[in-house]
Amino acid sequence: MSSISKDTRKYLLTAADIEALEGQEITHFLNPNAVRLNKSLGDAVGMSQMGVHMISVEPNHHSTEFHKHQYEEECIYILEGSGELTIEEDKYNVAKGDFVGLPANEVAHSLYNNGNETLVCLVMGQRLKHDIGDYPNQNKRIYRHNGKAEVVDYENITYPKTHTGRKEPSE
Amino acid sequence: MSSISKDTRKYLLTAADIEALEGQEITHFLNPNAVRLNKSLGDAVGMSQMGVHMISVEPNHHSTEFHKHQYEEECIYILEGSGELTIEEDKYNVAKGDFVGLPANEVAHSLYNNGNETLVCLVMGQRLKHDIGDYPNQNKRIYRHNGKAEVVDYENITYPKTHTGRKEPSE
Amino acid sequence: MSSISKDTRKYLLTAADIEALEGQEITHFLNPNAVRLNKSLGDAVGMSQMGVHMISVEPNHHSTEFHKHQYEEECIYILEGSGELTIEEDKYNVAKGDFVGLPANEVAHSLYNNGNETLVCLVMGQRLKHDIGDYPNQNKRIYRHNGKAEVVDYENITYPKTHTGRKEPSE
Amino acid sequence: MSSISKDTRKYLLTAADIEALEGQEITHFLNPNAVRLNKSLGDAVGMSQMGVHMISVEPNHHSTEFHKHQYEEECIYILEGSGELTIEEDKYNVAKGDFVGLPANEVAHSLYNNGNETLVCLVMGQRLKHDIGDYPNQNKRIYRHNGKAEVVDYENITYPKTHTGRKEPSE
């Protein structure tokens, strides 16, 4: 084995390594019932452009507040347990081996552990420099940019007609 | 001359072509005294990722409301006339041949025609998919994204502590 | 259940849905022994900005040619089976429940099924507009941009000293 | 005048300031007859995301090698003198007050001073993290990324059919 082996080992998290990670208990800032234990696998190996998290949600809790990202994609792969997935106004039972993918700006979602065991998921998402999130049940919008988060009630946003005729870039 | 000459001519605007452009009178949506005649040279030749405008401001008018872009760079080259440039709390007299460059998120500026003749400038700016602008004299922030513009009063923005420990991407 | 339920169902792939997906057999264009059955879960639900694939690699095959992305991040979560992971010059045994994350431009990797059963992994990666990939064992570089792929041998690349003093953007 | 006046003055380059800038003589790395004196107004005030240059080209010289940017937009406003503009296979006489805009990936161009006086232009362009340039008369392509420049002869580029069915992001 080469002299740089101590460096390359850091890109690998074995199942035992993951089990040993301490994780972080996160309560969503808009929903005290949305509580998860979050182990960021991506951060642990030095990734920064995507978030890759193993999350554990206990029975009778949500993973996050019902939300939609306008720019970032997010997806969920269920590793253990079961839950109730809400997409817009529809509800689906989900369990181990199921996948949910959320293209940007299409539908809001939330995930609730309605079972008796811990719900464990891989959650992956983009980490764009700019994103805008909507919390439809709270009538709030969050503007995220460069590590900052700014939250505004829908009723306080105005939509001016600004530079008439401004041509927007194709991207 | 080749068979595609009729196509390549469109990338060139001669001084006479520019003179003949009709232009658009734009009054800033937050400042009725900020009025300019705007000829978008960039749009006229099919550019979309940068704005390149020849603007004319009559005496006793501003070019725009005092503002700062958090993400987009902007610059001004004065072709004719003179004016008073405000950068933050400082004022400078500017005239033909002067250049003003505004790196993103550093200082707010405005330009006022305090002379007797039309002030004519080239104004160039990025057209990013996302930008955030501040109007410090109005206590307002504008979120621009993908052709949309959303305006909020500073007092209606909250800054929650969200995902503790979230690592942000390097860009 | 609401009238839009037929639309929201498409964001969910149950384990049975995934099992039923046909998949695509992909042989790496530079390595005839790198063969995988690829089910793109992300594409199936309409995601476009990240790739999320469930791949199956049979014994004695590689998943891809040994490579490094200069700009895109990639990661692997092993769902079934075992294999030998190569990172730069080091080799590691990996199995169900292990995670490998590859920050951009750090180390080259490959994954080989040295076991007796099918190796099944989730592979997630960014899909940037621009990426550059290196195949160190082939002395080749691939420039990917906007759906195009251009491959060049290292020995045919020159590194000119171009615009002296050009300041590069911070991003 | 406020206490920060010494800081805000730096965003302004008066005509006299510009005259006093030393500039940099740049010979294009692929064309010894393409020689310009380059004063980067943007760099001088701390801009980094756009290039804004005042260039001077002496009689019988080109400003740059005939080229096209695949991703960056570029434009030219002529301040003094006259020249011959080549766009693809067509030639146009240009002079003071004329504007040329080059949307990305449409046409190659060059500018030649065929007059008796110095040709002075403002040249503005994007500085994207990634760009690809073509030099059609040299049969060469330049890949620029993050401050690096890699040049390849067209004949050494191969276009493999890679990941069949890969869906590309919308941007």
Side-chain angles (χ1 to χ4, degrees), chain A residues 1-2 5 8-9 11-15 18 45 47-50 71 73 90 92 97-101 103 106 126 129 171, chain C residues 2 5 8-9 11-15 18 45 47-50 71 73 89-90 92 97-101 103 106 126 129 171:
Chain A
M1 196 163 283
S2 85
S5 61
T8 64
R9 178 62 177 82
Y11 301 106
L12 170 63
L13 295 176
T14 65
I18 296 171
V45 299
M47 293 171 68
S48 62
Q49 300 172 3
M50 292 196 300
Y71 292 95
E73 290 189 345
D90 301 320
Y92 302 99
D98 292 352
F99 173 82
V100 186
E106 297 197 0
Q126 294 181 279
K129 183 173 175 177
E171 66 181 302
Chain C
S2 85
S5 63
T8 64
R9 179 62 177 82
Y11 301 106
L12 171 62
L13 296 176
T14 65
I18 296 172
V45 299
M47 295 171 67
S48 62
Q49 299 171 4
M50 292 197 300
Y71 291 95
E73 290 189 344
E89 298 177 4
D90 301 321
Y92 302 99
D98 293 352
F99 173 82
V100 186
E106 297 196 0
Q126 293 182 279
K129 184 175 176 177
E171 65 180 304

Short mmCIF file of all heavy atoms in Angstrom, two decimals, chain A residues 1-2 5 8-9 11-15 18 45 47-50 71 73 90 92 97-101 103 106 126 129 171, chain C residues 2 5 8-9 11-15 18 45 47-50 71 73 89-90 92 97-101 103 106 126 129 171:
data_model
loop_
_atom_site.label_atom_id
_atom_site.label_comp_id
_atom_site.label_asym_id
_atom_site.label_seq_id
_atom_site.Cartn_x
_atom_site.Cartn_y
_atom_site.Cartn_z
N MET A 1 0.85 -1.20 0.00
CA MET A 1 0.00 0.00 0.00
C MET A 1 0.88 1.25 0.00
O MET A 1 1.92 1.29 0.64
CB MET A 1 -0.91 -0.02 1.24
CG MET A 1 -2.06 0.95 1.13
SD MET A 1 -3.39 0.60 2.33
CE MET A 1 -4.24 -0.80 1.61
N SER A 2 0.47 2.24 -0.71
CA SER A 2 1.36 3.39 -0.94
C SER A 2 1.44 4.30 0.27
O SER A 2 0.69 4.18 1.23
CB SER A 2 0.86 4.20 -2.13
OG SER A 2 -0.12 5.12 -1.69
N SER A 5 -1.70 6.31 1.60
CA SER A 5 -2.92 5.60 1.97
C SER A 5 -3.67 6.31 3.09
O SER A 5 -4.89 6.31 3.13
CB SER A 5 -2.61 4.17 2.38
OG SER A 5 -1.75 4.18 3.50
N THR A 8 -6.08 8.71 1.33
CA THR A 8 -7.20 8.24 0.52
C THR A 8 -8.27 7.56 1.37
O THR A 8 -9.43 7.52 0.98
CB THR A 8 -6.74 7.27 -0.60
OG1 THR A 8 -6.20 6.10 0.00
CG2 THR A 8 -5.69 7.93 -1.49
N ARG A 9 -7.90 7.06 2.53
CA ARG A 9 -8.89 6.41 3.40
C ARG A 9 -10.02 7.35 3.79
O ARG A 9 -11.14 6.91 4.06
CB ARG A 9 -8.17 5.86 4.65
CG ARG A 9 -9.07 5.18 5.68
CD ARG A 9 -9.76 3.95 5.11
NE ARG A 9 -10.55 3.27 6.13
CZ ARG A 9 -11.77 3.63 6.50
NH1 ARG A 9 -12.34 4.67 5.94
NH2 ARG A 9 -12.42 2.94 7.43
N TYR A 11 -11.83 9.25 2.10
CA TYR A 11 -12.96 9.34 1.17
C TYR A 11 -13.96 8.21 1.37
O TYR A 11 -15.02 8.19 0.76
CB TYR A 11 -12.46 9.35 -0.27
CG TYR A 11 -11.53 10.52 -0.53
CD1 TYR A 11 -10.16 10.33 -0.67
CD2 TYR A 11 -12.02 11.82 -0.59
CE1 TYR A 11 -9.30 11.40 -0.87
CE2 TYR A 11 -11.17 12.90 -0.78
CZ TYR A 11 -9.82 12.69 -0.92
OH TYR A 11 -8.98 13.76 -1.10
N LEU A 12 -13.60 7.25 2.21
CA LEU A 12 -14.45 6.08 2.45
C LEU A 12 -15.03 6.12 3.86
O LEU A 12 -14.31 6.32 4.84
CB LEU A 12 -13.59 4.81 2.29
CG LEU A 12 -14.22 3.47 2.73
CD1 LEU A 12 -15.44 3.13 1.89
CD2 LEU A 12 -13.15 2.36 2.61
N LEU A 13 -16.35 5.97 3.94
CA LEU A 13 -17.02 5.79 5.24
C LEU A 13 -17.63 4.40 5.21
O LEU A 13 -18.59 4.15 4.47
CB LEU A 13 -18.13 6.82 5.44
CG LEU A 13 -17.74 8.29 5.53
CD1 LEU A 13 -19.01 9.15 5.64
CD2 LEU A 13 -16.84 8.55 6.74
N THR A 14 -17.09 3.49 5.98
CA THR A 14 -17.69 2.16 6.03
C THR A 14 -18.99 2.24 6.83
O THR A 14 -19.26 3.24 7.52
CB THR A 14 -16.76 1.15 6.72
OG1 THR A 14 -16.61 1.58 8.08
CG2 THR A 14 -15.39 1.11 6.05
N ALA A 15 -19.78 1.18 6.73
CA ALA A 15 -21.03 1.14 7.50
C ALA A 15 -20.72 1.37 8.99
O ALA A 15 -21.48 2.07 9.69
CB ALA A 15 -21.73 -0.19 7.29
N ILE A 18 -20.02 5.02 9.61
CA ILE A 18 -21.26 5.81 9.60
C ILE A 18 -22.00 5.61 10.93
O ILE A 18 -22.49 6.57 11.53
CB ILE A 18 -22.16 5.40 8.41
CG1 ILE A 18 -21.45 5.76 7.08
CG2 ILE A 18 -23.52 6.09 8.49
CD1 ILE A 18 -22.14 5.20 5.83
N VAL A 45 -16.64 13.53 4.20
CA VAL A 45 -15.54 13.18 3.29
C VAL A 45 -15.02 14.40 2.53
O VAL A 45 -14.17 14.26 1.65
CB VAL A 45 -15.95 12.09 2.27
CG1 VAL A 45 -16.36 10.81 3.00
CG2 VAL A 45 -17.08 12.58 1.37
N MET A 47 -16.94 16.66 0.71
CA MET A 47 -17.76 17.18 -0.39
C MET A 47 -18.38 18.50 0.05
O MET A 47 -18.67 18.72 1.23
CB MET A 47 -18.86 16.18 -0.74
CG MET A 47 -18.32 14.88 -1.33
SD MET A 47 -19.61 13.60 -1.52
CE MET A 47 -20.64 14.30 -2.80
N SER A 48 -18.60 19.39 -0.92
CA SER A 48 -19.19 20.68 -0.57
C SER A 48 -20.28 21.11 -1.54
O SER A 48 -21.08 21.97 -1.22
CB SER A 48 -18.10 21.76 -0.52
OG SER A 48 -17.51 21.90 -1.79
N GLN A 49 -20.33 20.51 -2.73
CA GLN A 49 -21.24 21.02 -3.76
C GLN A 49 -22.58 20.28 -3.79
O GLN A 49 -23.53 20.73 -4.43
CB GLN A 49 -20.54 20.92 -5.13
CG GLN A 49 -19.26 21.77 -5.16
CD GLN A 49 -18.42 21.56 -6.41
OE1 GLN A 49 -18.81 20.82 -7.31
NE2 GLN A 49 -17.29 22.22 -6.48
N MET A 50 -22.62 19.14 -3.12
CA MET A 50 -23.88 18.40 -2.94
C MET A 50 -23.98 18.09 -1.46
O MET A 50 -22.96 17.82 -0.81
CB MET A 50 -23.88 17.06 -3.68
CG MET A 50 -23.88 17.13 -5.17
SD MET A 50 -24.36 15.50 -5.90
CE MET A 50 -23.07 14.45 -5.24
N TYR A 71 -34.94 26.19 -7.09
CA TYR A 71 -33.76 25.97 -7.95
C TYR A 71 -33.00 24.67 -7.68
O TYR A 71 -32.39 24.12 -8.58
CB TYR A 71 -32.81 27.18 -7.89
CG TYR A 71 -33.45 28.37 -8.55
CD1 TYR A 71 -34.14 29.33 -7.81
CD2 TYR A 71 -33.44 28.50 -9.93
CE1 TYR A 71 -34.79 30.38 -8.43
CE2 TYR A 71 -34.08 29.54 -10.56
CZ TYR A 71 -34.75 30.49 -9.80
OH TYR A 71 -35.40 31.50 -10.44
N GLU A 73 -32.44 20.71 -6.79
CA GLU A 73 -33.08 19.40 -6.80
C GLU A 73 -32.75 18.66 -5.51
O GLU A 73 -31.69 18.84 -4.92
CB GLU A 73 -32.60 18.58 -8.01
CG GLU A 73 -33.13 19.12 -9.32
CD GLU A 73 -32.87 18.21 -10.49
OE1 GLU A 73 -32.03 17.30 -10.38
OE2 GLU A 73 -33.50 18.42 -11.54
N ASP A 90 -51.38 15.25 -2.07
CA ASP A 90 -51.51 13.80 -2.09
C ASP A 90 -50.60 13.14 -1.07
O ASP A 90 -49.53 13.65 -0.76
CB ASP A 90 -51.18 13.27 -3.49
CG ASP A 90 -52.09 13.88 -4.54
OD1 ASP A 90 -53.30 14.03 -4.25
OD2 ASP A 90 -51.60 14.24 -5.62
N TYR A 92 -48.79 9.37 0.18
CA TYR A 92 -48.37 8.03 -0.25
C TYR A 92 -47.65 7.34 0.90
O TYR A 92 -46.87 7.97 1.61
CB TYR A 92 -47.41 8.12 -1.45
CG TYR A 92 -48.00 8.83 -2.64
CD1 TYR A 92 -47.70 10.16 -2.90
CD2 TYR A 92 -48.86 8.16 -3.51
CE1 TYR A 92 -48.24 10.82 -4.00
CE2 TYR A 92 -49.42 8.82 -4.61
CZ TYR A 92 -49.10 10.14 -4.85
OH TYR A 92 -49.65 10.78 -5.92
N GLY A 97 -36.44 0.95 0.37
CA GLY A 97 -36.20 0.69 -1.05
C GLY A 97 -36.93 1.63 -1.98
O GLY A 97 -36.75 1.56 -3.20
N ASP A 98 -37.76 2.51 -1.44
CA ASP A 98 -38.47 3.47 -2.29
C ASP A 98 -37.61 4.72 -2.49
O ASP A 98 -36.78 5.08 -1.65
CB ASP A 98 -39.80 3.89 -1.65
CG ASP A 98 -40.82 2.75 -1.60
OD1 ASP A 98 -40.58 1.69 -2.19
OD2 ASP A 98 -41.87 2.95 -0.94
N PHE A 99 -37.85 5.38 -3.61
CA PHE A 99 -37.10 6.57 -4.00
C PHE A 99 -38.09 7.69 -4.33
O PHE A 99 -39.10 7.46 -4.99
CB PHE A 99 -36.25 6.25 -5.23
CG PHE A 99 -35.55 7.44 -5.83
CD1 PHE A 99 -34.35 7.91 -5.30
CD2 PHE A 99 -36.08 8.09 -6.95
CE1 PHE A 99 -33.69 9.01 -5.87
CE2 PHE A 99 -35.43 9.18 -7.52
CZ PHE A 99 -34.24 9.64 -6.98
N VAL A 100 -37.77 8.89 -3.88
CA VAL A 100 -38.58 10.07 -4.20
C VAL A 100 -37.65 11.13 -4.77
O VAL A 100 -36.62 11.44 -4.16
CB VAL A 100 -39.25 10.65 -2.94
CG1 VAL A 100 -40.20 11.79 -3.31
CG2 VAL A 100 -39.95 9.57 -2.14
N GLY A 101 -37.98 11.65 -5.94
CA GLY A 101 -37.13 12.68 -6.55
C GLY A 101 -37.92 13.94 -6.78
O GLY A 101 -39.05 13.89 -7.27
N PRO A 103 -37.68 17.29 -8.77
CA PRO A 103 -37.12 18.28 -9.69
C PRO A 103 -37.42 19.68 -9.15
O PRO A 103 -38.40 19.88 -8.42
CB PRO A 103 -37.87 18.01 -10.99
CG PRO A 103 -38.40 16.61 -10.87
CD PRO A 103 -38.70 16.44 -9.40
N GLU A 106 -41.21 22.18 -8.88
CA GLU A 106 -42.41 21.49 -9.36
C GLU A 106 -43.43 21.27 -8.25
O GLU A 106 -44.56 21.74 -8.35
CB GLU A 106 -42.03 20.17 -10.04
CG GLU A 106 -41.17 20.44 -11.29
CD GLU A 106 -41.08 19.26 -12.25
OE1 GLU A 106 -41.68 18.21 -11.98
OE2 GLU A 106 -40.37 19.41 -13.28
N GLN A 126 -28.74 19.31 -4.18
CA GLN A 126 -27.76 20.28 -4.67
C GLN A 126 -27.50 21.34 -3.62
O GLN A 126 -28.36 21.62 -2.77
CB GLN A 126 -28.31 20.99 -5.92
CG GLN A 126 -28.49 20.10 -7.10
CD GLN A 126 -29.01 20.90 -8.28
OE1 GLN A 126 -30.20 21.17 -8.37
NE2 GLN A 126 -28.14 21.29 -9.18
N LYS A 129 -25.32 28.10 -5.18
CA LYS A 129 -24.98 29.40 -4.57
C LYS A 129 -26.25 30.17 -4.23
O LYS A 129 -26.30 30.90 -3.25
CB LYS A 129 -24.12 30.19 -5.56
CG LYS A 129 -23.63 31.51 -5.06
CD LYS A 129 -22.66 32.12 -6.07
CE LYS A 129 -22.23 33.50 -5.64
NZ LYS A 129 -21.24 34.06 -6.59
N GLU A 171 -29.85 31.69 -19.55
CA GLU A 171 -29.70 30.93 -18.30
C GLU A 171 -29.38 31.89 -17.18
O GLU A 171 -28.75 32.88 -17.38
CB GLU A 171 -28.60 29.91 -18.43
CG GLU A 171 -27.24 30.56 -18.60
CD GLU A 171 -26.17 29.51 -18.76
OE1 GLU A 171 -26.04 28.69 -17.86
OE2 GLU A 171 -25.51 29.51 -19.79
N SER C 2 -56.69 14.03 -4.24
CA SER C 2 -57.03 15.17 -5.10
C SER C 2 -56.98 14.80 -6.57
O SER C 2 -56.49 13.75 -6.97
CB SER C 2 -56.06 16.31 -4.84
OG SER C 2 -54.90 16.13 -5.62
N SER C 5 -53.59 13.78 -8.27
CA SER C 5 -52.81 12.66 -7.76
C SER C 5 -52.07 11.93 -8.88
O SER C 5 -50.98 11.44 -8.69
CB SER C 5 -53.70 11.69 -7.00
OG SER C 5 -54.66 11.15 -7.86
N THR C 8 -48.73 13.69 -9.18
CA THR C 8 -47.72 13.63 -8.12
C THR C 8 -47.14 12.23 -7.96
O THR C 8 -46.02 12.08 -7.48
CB THR C 8 -48.28 14.11 -6.76
OG1 THR C 8 -49.31 13.21 -6.34
CG2 THR C 8 -48.84 15.52 -6.87
N ARG C 9 -47.87 11.21 -8.36
CA ARG C 9 -47.36 9.84 -8.25
C ARG C 9 -46.05 9.64 -9.01
O ARG C 9 -45.24 8.79 -8.67
CB ARG C 9 -48.43 8.86 -8.76
CG ARG C 9 -48.04 7.39 -8.74
CD ARG C 9 -47.75 6.88 -7.34
NE ARG C 9 -47.46 5.44 -7.32
CZ ARG C 9 -46.27 4.93 -7.61
NH1 ARG C 9 -45.26 5.73 -7.92
NH2 ARG C 9 -46.09 3.62 -7.56
N TYR C 11 -43.41 11.29 -9.04
CA TYR C 11 -42.18 11.63 -8.32
C TYR C 11 -41.71 10.50 -7.40
O TYR C 11 -40.64 10.58 -6.82
CB TYR C 11 -42.37 12.92 -7.51
CG TYR C 11 -42.75 14.09 -8.39
CD1 TYR C 11 -44.05 14.60 -8.41
CD2 TYR C 11 -41.80 14.66 -9.23
CE1 TYR C 11 -44.39 15.64 -9.25
CE2 TYR C 11 -42.14 15.70 -10.08
CZ TYR C 11 -43.44 16.20 -10.08
OH TYR C 11 -43.78 17.23 -10.92
N LEU C 12 -42.54 9.48 -7.29
CA LEU C 12 -42.24 8.35 -6.40
C LEU C 12 -41.94 7.09 -7.22
O LEU C 12 -42.70 6.72 -8.12
CB LEU C 12 -43.46 8.08 -5.50
CG LEU C 12 -43.45 6.81 -4.66
CD1 LEU C 12 -42.31 6.80 -3.65
CD2 LEU C 12 -44.81 6.67 -3.93
N LEU C 13 -40.80 6.47 -6.93
CA LEU C 13 -40.50 5.15 -7.48
C LEU C 13 -40.44 4.19 -6.31
O LEU C 13 -39.52 4.26 -5.48
CB LEU C 13 -39.14 5.15 -8.18
CG LEU C 13 -38.96 6.02 -9.43
CD1 LEU C 13 -37.51 5.93 -9.91
CD2 LEU C 13 -39.91 5.59 -10.55
N THR C 14 -41.42 3.30 -6.20
CA THR C 14 -41.35 2.31 -5.13
C THR C 14 -40.26 1.28 -5.47
O THR C 14 -39.79 1.20 -6.60
CB THR C 14 -42.69 1.58 -4.98
OG1 THR C 14 -42.92 0.84 -6.18
CG2 THR C 14 -43.83 2.57 -4.75
N ALA C 15 -39.92 0.48 -4.46
CA ALA C 15 -38.93 -0.58 -4.71
C ALA C 15 -39.39 -1.45 -5.88
O ALA C 15 -38.58 -1.87 -6.72
CB ALA C 15 -38.73 -1.41 -3.45
N ILE C 18 -38.80 0.34 -9.15
CA ILE C 18 -37.38 0.31 -9.51
C ILE C 18 -37.02 -1.06 -10.07
O ILE C 18 -36.33 -1.18 -11.09
CB ILE C 18 -36.50 0.67 -8.29
CG1 ILE C 18 -36.78 2.12 -7.85
CG2 ILE C 18 -35.02 0.48 -8.61
CD1 ILE C 18 -36.12 2.52 -6.53
N VAL C 45 -37.83 10.30 -12.74
CA VAL C 45 -38.80 11.19 -12.09
C VAL C 45 -38.69 12.63 -12.62
O VAL C 45 -39.36 13.52 -12.10
CB VAL C 45 -38.63 11.20 -10.55
CG1 VAL C 45 -38.88 9.81 -9.98
CG2 VAL C 45 -37.26 11.74 -10.13
N MET C 47 -35.78 14.53 -12.82
CA MET C 47 -34.64 15.34 -12.38
C MET C 47 -33.66 15.52 -13.53
O MET C 47 -33.53 14.64 -14.39
CB MET C 47 -33.94 14.66 -11.19
CG MET C 47 -34.80 14.59 -9.95
SD MET C 47 -34.07 13.55 -8.63
CE MET C 47 -32.63 14.51 -8.18
N SER C 48 -32.97 16.64 -13.55
CA SER C 48 -32.01 16.86 -14.64
C SER C 48 -30.69 17.44 -14.16
O SER C 48 -29.70 17.37 -14.87
CB SER C 48 -32.62 17.81 -15.68
OG SER C 48 -32.89 19.07 -15.09
N GLN C 49 -30.67 17.99 -12.96
CA GLN C 49 -29.47 18.72 -12.51
C GLN C 49 -28.51 17.84 -11.70
O GLN C 49 -27.37 18.23 -11.45
CB GLN C 49 -29.90 19.94 -11.70
CG GLN C 49 -30.74 20.90 -12.54
CD GLN C 49 -31.37 22.02 -11.73
OE1 GLN C 49 -31.13 22.16 -10.53
NE2 GLN C 49 -32.15 22.85 -12.38
N MET C 50 -29.01 16.69 -11.23
CA MET C 50 -28.16 15.70 -10.58
C MET C 50 -28.46 14.36 -11.26
O MET C 50 -29.59 14.10 -11.66
CB MET C 50 -28.53 15.52 -9.10
CG MET C 50 -28.22 16.68 -8.20
SD MET C 50 -28.24 16.17 -6.43
CE MET C 50 -29.93 15.59 -6.27
N TYR C 71 -14.46 19.04 -11.85
CA TYR C 71 -15.46 19.99 -11.35
C TYR C 71 -16.68 19.36 -10.68
O TYR C 71 -17.28 19.97 -9.79
CB TYR C 71 -15.90 20.94 -12.47
CG TYR C 71 -14.77 21.87 -12.84
CD1 TYR C 71 -13.91 21.59 -13.90
CD2 TYR C 71 -14.49 22.98 -12.06
CE1 TYR C 71 -12.82 22.40 -14.17
CE2 TYR C 71 -13.41 23.80 -12.33
CZ TYR C 71 -12.58 23.51 -13.38
OH TYR C 71 -11.51 24.31 -13.64
N GLU C 73 -18.80 16.72 -8.35
CA GLU C 73 -18.70 15.78 -7.24
C GLU C 73 -19.51 14.52 -7.56
O GLU C 73 -20.52 14.57 -8.26
CB GLU C 73 -19.23 16.41 -5.95
CG GLU C 73 -18.30 17.50 -5.44
CD GLU C 73 -18.66 18.00 -4.05
OE1 GLU C 73 -19.79 17.73 -3.59
OE2 GLU C 73 -17.83 18.67 -3.44
N GLU C 89 -3.61 5.17 -5.64
CA GLU C 89 -2.86 3.91 -5.69
C GLU C 89 -3.28 2.92 -4.60
O GLU C 89 -2.64 1.88 -4.43
CB GLU C 89 -1.36 4.20 -5.55
CG GLU C 89 -0.84 5.07 -6.70
CD GLU C 89 0.63 5.42 -6.52
OE1 GLU C 89 1.24 4.93 -5.55
OE2 GLU C 89 1.14 6.19 -7.34
N ASP C 90 -4.34 3.25 -3.87
CA ASP C 90 -4.73 2.42 -2.74
C ASP C 90 -5.98 1.62 -3.05
O ASP C 90 -6.84 2.06 -3.81
CB ASP C 90 -4.98 3.30 -1.51
CG ASP C 90 -3.73 4.10 -1.15
OD1 ASP C 90 -2.62 3.53 -1.25
OD2 ASP C 90 -3.86 5.29 -0.82
N TYR C 92 -9.26 -0.72 -1.32
CA TYR C 92 -10.05 -0.97 -0.12
C TYR C 92 -11.18 -1.94 -0.46
O TYR C 92 -11.78 -1.84 -1.53
CB TYR C 92 -10.67 0.33 0.40
CG TYR C 92 -9.66 1.41 0.73
CD1 TYR C 92 -9.40 2.43 -0.17
CD2 TYR C 92 -8.96 1.38 1.94
CE1 TYR C 92 -8.46 3.41 0.13
CE2 TYR C 92 -8.02 2.37 2.24
CZ TYR C 92 -7.78 3.37 1.33
OH TYR C 92 -6.84 4.33 1.63
N GLY C 97 -23.66 -0.94 2.71
CA GLY C 97 -23.71 0.06 3.77
C GLY C 97 -22.53 1.01 3.78
O GLY C 97 -22.52 1.96 4.55
N ASP C 98 -21.54 0.78 2.91
CA ASP C 98 -20.39 1.69 2.84
C ASP C 98 -20.69 2.85 1.88
O ASP C 98 -21.47 2.71 0.94
CB ASP C 98 -19.14 0.95 2.36
CG ASP C 98 -18.63 -0.09 3.36
OD1 ASP C 98 -19.16 -0.14 4.49
OD2 ASP C 98 -17.73 -0.87 3.00
N PHE C 99 -20.02 3.94 2.15
CA PHE C 99 -20.21 5.17 1.35
C PHE C 99 -18.85 5.68 0.90
O PHE C 99 -17.88 5.69 1.67
CB PHE C 99 -20.89 6.24 2.22
CG PHE C 99 -20.99 7.60 1.58
CD1 PHE C 99 -22.00 7.90 0.68
CD2 PHE C 99 -20.07 8.60 1.89
CE1 PHE C 99 -22.09 9.16 0.08
CE2 PHE C 99 -20.16 9.87 1.31
CZ PHE C 99 -21.18 10.15 0.41
N VAL C 100 -18.78 6.10 -0.35
CA VAL C 100 -17.55 6.70 -0.89
C VAL C 100 -17.92 8.05 -1.49
O VAL C 100 -18.84 8.13 -2.30
CB VAL C 100 -16.94 5.82 -2.01
CG1 VAL C 100 -15.60 6.39 -2.46
CG2 VAL C 100 -16.82 4.39 -1.57
N GLY C 101 -17.22 9.09 -1.10
CA GLY C 101 -17.51 10.43 -1.64
C GLY C 101 -16.27 11.01 -2.30
O GLY C 101 -15.18 10.94 -1.74
N PRO C 103 -14.91 14.41 -3.60
CA PRO C 103 -14.90 15.86 -3.87
C PRO C 103 -14.22 16.11 -5.21
O PRO C 103 -13.37 15.31 -5.63
CB PRO C 103 -14.07 16.42 -2.71
CG PRO C 103 -14.12 15.36 -1.64
CD PRO C 103 -14.19 14.06 -2.38
N GLU C 106 -9.89 15.88 -6.59
CA GLU C 106 -8.96 15.42 -5.56
C GLU C 106 -8.30 14.09 -5.91
O GLU C 106 -7.08 14.01 -6.00
CB GLU C 106 -9.66 15.37 -4.19
CG GLU C 106 -10.13 16.77 -3.75
CD GLU C 106 -10.48 16.87 -2.28
OE1 GLU C 106 -10.37 15.89 -1.54
OE2 GLU C 106 -10.88 17.98 -1.88
N GLN C 126 -23.15 15.35 -9.61
CA GLN C 126 -23.60 16.61 -10.20
C GLN C 126 -23.64 16.47 -11.71
O GLN C 126 -22.92 15.68 -12.30
CB GLN C 126 -22.61 17.72 -9.85
CG GLN C 126 -22.56 18.08 -8.40
CD GLN C 126 -21.59 19.22 -8.16
OE1 GLN C 126 -20.39 19.00 -8.10
NE2 GLN C 126 -22.09 20.43 -8.05
N LYS C 129 -22.91 22.18 -16.20
CA LYS C 129 -22.85 22.54 -17.62
C LYS C 129 -21.46 22.25 -18.19
O LYS C 129 -21.32 21.91 -19.36
CB LYS C 129 -23.18 24.03 -17.74
CG LYS C 129 -23.25 24.55 -19.14
CD LYS C 129 -23.71 26.01 -19.13
CE LYS C 129 -23.70 26.61 -20.53
NZ LYS C 129 -24.22 28.00 -20.49
N GLU C 171 -15.10 33.31 -9.02
CA GLU C 171 -15.81 32.05 -9.29
C GLU C 171 -15.93 31.87 -10.78
O GLU C 171 -16.08 32.80 -11.50
CB GLU C 171 -17.19 32.07 -8.68
CG GLU C 171 -18.06 33.10 -9.31
CD GLU C 171 -19.44 33.11 -8.71
OE1 GLU C 171 -20.08 32.06 -8.71
OE2 GLU C 171 -19.85 34.16 -8.24
#
